[in-house]
Amino acid sequence: MHLRVTFVAAARSSSLLAERFEDDRPLDQAGWDEVQRAAPELVSLAAAELRYCSPTPRSRATGDALGYAPLAQPALRDCDMGRWRGFTLGEAMAREPSAVDAWLADPRSAPHGGESLTSFISRVGGWLDTRPADDGSRIVAVAEPSVVRAALVYALKAQPSTYWNIDVRPLSTITLTGINGRWNLRLEGVPQHA
């Protein structure tokens, strides 16, 4: 009764330095180009019995462009950044440097008035743990890179601060196998020929 959940990080909607907290912008041209280049390797995931996405425009557009026709899941939304919503990290730092420092240092803090990192990881983990437990079920979920990072931290039972050490590139994939609270990271490799 194990599940196979493959997360696909949404294509980008801006350059890395221009990324904004809870960014609701659609895919930019570079993001569309990335999807087209990655499609041959990712389109096979459309065979999953269940296909989801975070409710952001770029996650839905990525899933649709890959032929997934995903169902939006509110639990897969980005971290609630409160009054920092729409800011870049640099803009938040310029306005509230001590609050940003506290947020980066303590995963339980939420100086922005939104969700703490710990709460965000728990929310994403709760979604993961409540997926249908049918034997052999394959699930694909297109989500923001931050959501993919949170899922990894939860699944591996890592310290919340580990979140800051995970780099999730647009259109990268990770696969978790397991069920309710017992997850394994599955790394796919190139098949070896005998």
Side-chain angles (χ1 to χ4, degrees):
M1 297 191 82
H2 282 87
L3 299 172
R4 178 185 171 105
V5 182
T6 300
F7 284 92
V8 178
R12 65 184 170 152
S13 60
S14 63
S15 71
L16 187 59
L17 293 177
E19 291 240 346
R20 298 186 173 278
F21 295 128
E22 292 186 85
D23 193 350
D24 282 340
R25 290 180 289 177
L27 293 179
D28 63 10
Q29 188 58 51
W32 282 111
D33 293 345
E34 288 173 347
V35 171
Q36 295 309 310
R37 284 190 302 273
E41 292 189 29
L42 298 176
V43 76
S44 65
L45 293 172
E49 289 94 358
L50 300 170
R51 297 173 304 279
Y52 300 114
C53 68
S54 85
T56 63
R58 76 179 187 165
S59 291
R60 177 168 296 285
T62 300
D64 286 344
L66 294 171
Y68 300 167
L71 176 65
Q73 296 286 284
L76 293 179
R77 71 189 180 283
D78 209 343
C79 186
D80 177 355
M81 296 304 292
R83 70 179 171 276
W84 295 350
R85 185 176 200 267
F87 290 179
T88 65
L89 180 59
E91 290 168 346
M93 183 64 96
R95 288 179 169 90
E96 301 181 51
S98 60
V100 171
D101 288 343
W103 175 66
L104 292 171
D106 182 0
R108 297 167 304 196
S109 72
H112 44 64
E115 192 173 27
S116 71
L117 181 60
T118 304
S119 295
F120 173 51
I121 292 167
S122 293
R123 171 171 45 85
V124 173
W127 177 86
L128 190 61
D129 282 348
T130 57
R131 294 309 85 213
D134 297 325
D135 189 25
S137 288
R138 291 174 300 153
I139 298 170
V140 65
V142 180
E144 300 301 310
S146 60
V147 172
V148 178
R149 289 162 55 190
L152 272 170
V153 171
Y154 180 83
L156 297 176
K157 296 181 170 85
Q159 293 296 317
S161 60
T162 305
Y163 176 89
W164 304 116
N165 301 103
I166 300 171
D167 183 20
V168 177
R169 308 296 298 162
L171 297 167
S172 60
T173 64
I174 62 130
T175 299
L176 302 174
T177 59
I179 196 155
N180 193 1
R182 297 184 59 190
W183 296 98
N184 298 300
L185 173 61
R186 181 178 185 142
L187 300 175
E188 306 285 344
V190 177
Q192 299 295 317
H193 299 297

